Amino acid sequence: MELQENERIDDLEYKNLKIIQNKNLFCFGIDAILLSDFAKEIKKNSKVVDLGTGNGILGILLCGKTELSEIIGIEIQKESYELALRNIELNNLQDKFKVINSNIKDIKLERNKYDAIITNPPYKKKDTGIKNENKQKQIARHEIEATLEDFIKVSKDLLKPKGEIYIVHRPDRLVDLIYELRKNKLEPKKIKFIYPKENTTPNLVLIKAVKDGKPFLKIEEPLIVYNDDGTYTDSILKIYNKKEG
Amino acid sequence: MELQENERIDDLEYKNLKIIQNKNLFCFGIDAILLSDFAKEIKKNSKVVDLGTGNGILGILLCGKTELSEIIGIEIQKESYELALRNIELNNLQDKFKVINSNIKDIKLERNKYDAIITNPPYKKKDTGIKNENKQKQIARHEIEATLEDFIKVSKDLLKPKGEIYIVHRPDRLVDLIYELRKNKLEPKKIKFIYPKENTTPNLVLIKAVKDGKPFLKIEEPLIVYNDDGTYTDSILKIYNKKEG
């Protein structure tokens, strides 16, 4: 596949999966890797929706890590949507991974149908944080086109009863996450905090919630990313598939 | 002070504070120590209410750790209430620490008046968990006479705007805590998870919420209780005042 200006191709070092990224668009980070690992329990033959699919990284990883039957990515930005299409082709996933170019609020998918939702939504509120970045990155990072509440409401509509949603977000939004999830009958069942190092505050949180689930939350062991010497911890190397699990 | 049957006197090893406990009633654990440490930022001259005061442990520790002007403990059980009165006398705290023998739902205190609430409520739902314990311990540990929702609603009524509530609870109730707090305009601002050891799941959570506070949550560093060899960690020794801070 031919690369365009500002593009590079990265080897995901997992089942020979690859991804084209464009440095002017949102490039994936450890967030996507950790979320796909957290969601790898998605069951065989699941129908999945990825809300805010970007260049397709989450869907591509999930196609490698699970035996899902079908995944639909929703992406509002034309450039990212087109990049996702090329990434799907690059990995020969056209049969199971479709993408729709739409705001998540406008999609017309069947309600109460899907087994799982996965999403790495914009982390920041509309008018907070530094915005010295281009429009495309702003839309990916800030709640400009859709808020966390929108992502959760759409998920509630799409999921079948007992369907599961997997989210990665920032810990400072945990109250918003938990409040909106329960309000929408998506009961948080599992939370994992990610710490950059030992003895620090967490900088990411992973949440699994179940539609119409019974209240009982499990908070998992902390996941530490770096050792004191700056190298990855064994837990992270396992997730990156560089160490025996 | 004379001890009755089934009673013992414990030295709190903090500013010469002492407490009488009765083995047939609920005896305090590390939960109370950690909560009083978490709440030690309560400001000078604060008026405080302790919901479910038991033998008075939290109020006694707070009188040592803060410069509060007044604390009112609410305790439903006659035996615990009477024990709290004796513990207040034992520590010469009659001037600032009062106790009322009442269900928290029936108290007639002035609304929108108090600067801070502190509470170690029953952890378990009414019909869950092992109940091979006497009636008094059941009431202290299970939501028989008041639910978490009751504790939060009463707190909302008593607190003045920007007043603070400090709670200790079990992590499996985190969704209930966060949901009910925000629903009652008590915005969670700080959460600390307590882990028995490294690489385990947490078994306690401390939450501070502020009445009419702006949404922004800080999740603090994890607090680990035991080293691998079973001794207390330095963090815990500092809280127990056995190590320079």
Side-chain angles (χ1 to χ4, degrees):
Chain A
M1 186 162 293
E2 237 172 87
L3 293 184
Q4 299 173 6
E5 205 187 333
N6 296 315
E7 286 185 348
R8 67 169 195 268
I9 193 160
D10 289 330
D11 189 333
L12 292 173
E13 304 191 30
Y14 190 83
K15 296 190 180 173
N16 210 24
L17 297 169
K18 292 178 173 46
I19 194 154
I20 302 165
Q21 303 212 77
N22 179 325
K23 71 180 173 118
N24 291 336
L25 304 178
F26 181 84
C27 292
F28 79 89
I30 196 167
D31 323 29
I33 306 287
L34 297 177
L35 180 57
S36 68
D37 186 71
F38 189 65
K40 67 177 189 283
E41 65 188 29
I42 286 176
K43 289 183 199 73
K44 194 172 169 172
N45 295 323
S46 286
K47 294 188 196 334
V48 181
V49 177
D50 174 14
L51 294 177
T53 206
N55 59 24
I57 178 68
L58 271 173
I60 289 164
L61 286 168
L62 275 191
C63 285
K65 293 185 183 217
T66 73
E67 296 181 71
L68 60 82
S69 67
E70 173 190 334
I71 179 162
I72 302 173
I74 315 295
E75 176 51 46
I76 191 171
Q77 302 205 58
K78 195 73 189 289
E79 301 87 338
S80 297
Y81 159 78
E82 284 169 355
L83 190 48
L85 286 181
R86 288 165 60 219
N87 277 321
I88 290 165
E89 205 187 322
L90 179 68
N91 292 287
N92 289 312
L93 293 169
Q94 300 93 317
D95 286 348
K96 36 165 107 173
F97 191 177
K98 314 287 179 196
V99 201
I100 298 172
N101 181 209
S102 166
N103 189 317
I104 61 154
K105 295 189 279 185
D106 303 325
I107 47 172
K108 304 278 180 287
L109 296 174
E110 195 180 324
R111 294 168 64 120
N112 303 309
K113 173 179 172 181
Y114 295 89
D115 302 290
I117 304 271
I118 187 159
T119 184
N120 182 352
Y123 290 155
K124 295 173 184 170
K125 295 215 178 199
K126 195 167 177 178
D127 299 311
T128 56
I130 304 154
K131 291 205 201 170
N132 59 353
E133 44 193 6
N134 67 38
K135 189 71 187 168
Q136 284 111 325
K137 286 184 182 172
Q138 280 185 34
I139 290 173
R141 287 177 178 157
H142 293 262
E143 297 182 333
I144 293 169
E145 298 290 347
T147 64
L148 178 57
E149 208 178 332
D150 296 323
F151 277 82
I152 289 173
K153 277 184 183 163
V154 170
S155 300
K156 178 193 71 171
D157 287 343
L158 295 178
L159 284 174
K160 62 162 74 158
K162 304 296 170 195
E164 300 166 350
I165 175 169
Y166 298 85
I167 312 178
V168 60
H169 219 294
R170 291 273 176 84
D172 59 77
R173 299 294 298 277
L174 184 69
V175 181
D176 298 327
L177 282 160
I178 286 182
Y179 187 78
E180 292 299 333
L181 284 167
R182 177 172 275 186
K183 205 175 83 180
N184 284 286
K185 312 284 180 219
L186 301 170
E187 181 67 20
K189 302 289 276 182
K190 201 166 76 172
I191 292 184
K192 193 168 190 76
F193 292 103
I194 315 298
Y195 298 80
K197 287 196 171 197
E198 265 198 49
N199 300 315
T200 55
T201 58
N203 60 354
L204 287 174
V205 59
L206 303 166
I207 299 197
K208 173 190 177 180
V210 174
K211 186 170 178 174
D212 305 326
K214 268 174 46 177
F216 190 89
L217 177 68
K218 185 179 179 201
I219 301 199
E220 299 207 319
E221 294 170 22
L223 178 62
I224 319 281
V225 176
Y226 293 107
N227 295 312
D228 283 343
D229 63 5
T231 56
Y232 277 138
T233 58
D234 286 354
S235 314
I236 292 293
L237 292 176
K238 265 181 219 163
I239 290 171
Y240 274 111
N241 225 26
K242 294 191 177 162
K243 195 169 177 94
E244 292 292 308
Chain B
M1 187 162 290
E2 237 172 88
L3 293 184
Q4 299 172 4
E5 206 187 332
N6 297 316
E7 286 185 348
R8 66 167 195 267
I9 194 159
D10 289 329
D11 189 335
L12 292 174
E13 302 190 30
Y14 190 83
K15 297 190 179 173
N16 210 23
L17 297 169
K18 293 178 172 47
I19 192 154
I20 302 164
Q21 303 213 77
N22 179 324
K23 71 179 173 117
N24 291 336
L25 304 179
F26 181 83
C27 293
F28 79 90
I30 196 168
D31 323 29
I33 306 288
L34 296 178
L35 181 58
S36 69
D37 185 72
F38 188 65
K40 68 176 187 285
E41 65 187 28
I42 285 176
K43 290 183 199 73
K44 194 172 169 172
N45 296 324
S46 286
K47 295 188 195 331
V48 181
V49 178
D50 174 14
L51 295 177
T53 206
N55 59 24
I57 178 69
L58 271 173
I60 289 164
L61 287 169
L62 274 190
C63 285
K65 292 184 184 219
T66 73
E67 296 181 72
L68 60 83
S69 67
E70 171 190 336
I71 178 162
I72 302 173
I74 315 294
E75 175 51 47
I76 190 171
Q77 302 205 57
K78 195 72 189 289
E79 301 87 338
S80 297
Y81 158 79
E82 284 169 354
L83 190 47
L85 286 180
R86 288 165 61 217
N87 277 321
I88 289 165
E89 203 187 324
L90 178 68
N91 292 287
N92 290 312
L93 293 169
Q94 300 93 317
D95 286 348
K96 38 165 107 173
F97 191 177
K98 314 286 179 196
V99 202
I100 299 171
N101 181 210
S102 166
N103 189 317
I104 60 155
K105 295 189 279 185
D106 303 326
I107 47 172
K108 304 278 180 287
L109 296 175
E110 194 180 326
R111 293 167 66 118
N112 305 309
K113 174 179 171 181
Y114 294 89
D115 301 290
I117 305 270
I118 188 160
T119 184
N120 181 351
Y123 290 156
K124 295 174 185 170
K125 296 216 175 195
K126 196 167 176 178
D127 298 312
T128 56
I130 304 153
K131 292 203 200 170
N132 59 353
E133 43 195 5
N134 67 38
K135 189 72 187 168
Q136 284 110 325
K137 287 184 182 172
Q138 280 185 34
I139 289 172
R141 288 178 179 156
H142 293 261
E143 297 182 330
I144 293 168
E145 298 290 347
T147 64
L148 177 57
E149 207 179 332
D150 296 323
F151 277 83
I152 289 174
K153 277 185 181 160
V154 170
S155 300
K156 179 193 69 170
D157 287 343
L158 295 177
L159 285 175
K160 62 162 72 157
K162 304 295 169 196
E164 299 167 349
I165 174 169
Y166 298 86
I167 312 177
V168 60
H169 219 293
R170 292 273 175 85
D172 59 79
R173 300 293 300 277
L174 184 70
V175 180
D176 297 327
L177 283 159
I178 286 183
Y179 186 79
E180 292 299 334
L181 284 167
R182 176 173 275 186
K183 205 175 84 180
N184 285 285
K185 313 283 180 219
L186 301 170
E187 182 67 22
K189 302 290 275 182
K190 201 164 75 171
I191 292 184
K192 194 169 189 75
F193 292 103
I194 315 299
Y195 298 80
K197 288 198 171 194
E198 265 197 48
N199 300 316
T200 55
T201 58
N203 60 355
L204 287 174
V205 60
L206 303 165
I207 298 198
K208 172 190 179 181
V210 174
K211 187 171 177 174
D212 304 325
K214 267 175 44 178
F216 190 89
L217 177 69
K218 184 178 180 205
I219 301 198
E220 299 207 319
E221 294 167 23
L223 178 62
I224 318 280
V225 176
Y226 293 106
N227 295 312
D228 282 343
D229 63 5
T231 57
Y232 276 138
T233 58
D234 285 356
S235 315
I236 293 293
L237 291 176
K238 266 181 217 163
I239 291 171
Y240 273 111
N241 223 26
K242 295 194 176 160
K243 193 167 181 96
E244 293 293 307

